[in-house]
Amino acid sequence: MFHALADPSRRAVLERLAEGPASVGELAKPFTMALPSLMQHLRLLEECGLIQTEKVGRVRTCRLQPHAMDAAGEWIARQRAVWEARFDRLDAYLQILKKQEESTDDDPAAR
């Protein structure tokens, strides 16, 4: 999923699909890439479950599957909590060092 979200073209497709379903032709309009290249992007998005496609006649319609990102969002939230806790501990440690340095600067005997 993160590989799929890493590409700006795929993110643009997802942003467009957040507005509602769209045909491949509609999705291709804002891009300068060839249709086969766009189809590769769509295949990858579908393989990781971010979109669903349906073909009726000659028209392939794509729909966003927003709940597919829930697992990634939960993982990111857990990682954010871990890193925030680490930064909080680092900040507390730096405050202790700062107070120690200030008390040393105030004590002429420590020089």
Side-chain angles (χ1 to χ4, degrees), residues 6-110:
D7 184 84
S9 297
R10 290 190 287 265
R11 289 194 309 267
V13 167
L14 293 173
E15 288 174 18
R16 167 53 190 89
L17 291 176
E19 298 171 11
S23 69
V24 171
E26 291 172 318
L27 293 173
K29 285 181 185 175
F31 297 104
T32 57
M33 71 179 81
L35 192 57
S37 297
L38 178 66
M39 291 302 295
Q40 285 180 329
H41 287 298
L42 295 177
R43 251 183 253 114
L44 180 63
L45 290 170
E46 189 170 24
E47 286 171 5
C48 72
L50 290 170
I51 68 169
Q52 179 181 14
T53 64
E54 178 184 16
K55 189 170 183 179
V56 177
R58 297 180 72 185
V59 177
R60 181 171 297 277
T61 302
C62 302
R63 287 179 176 71
L64 185 64
Q65 299 295 307
H67 296 294
M69 287 190 249
D70 290 348
E74 291 167 7
W75 183 84
I76 290 169
R78 286 192 307 272
Q79 295 306 308
R80 176 177 284 140
V82 166
W83 281 100
E84 285 176 354
R86 287 178 180 172
F87 285 132
D88 288 345
R89 287 193 306 270
L90 176 61
D91 185 52
Y93 178 68
L94 292 174
Q95 292 300 323
I96 290 169
L97 291 179
K98 183 177 178 183
K99 286 179 183 176
Q100 288 175 350
E101 184 178 298
E102 288 172 354
S103 66
T104 303
D105 289 343
D106 292 340
D107 184 7

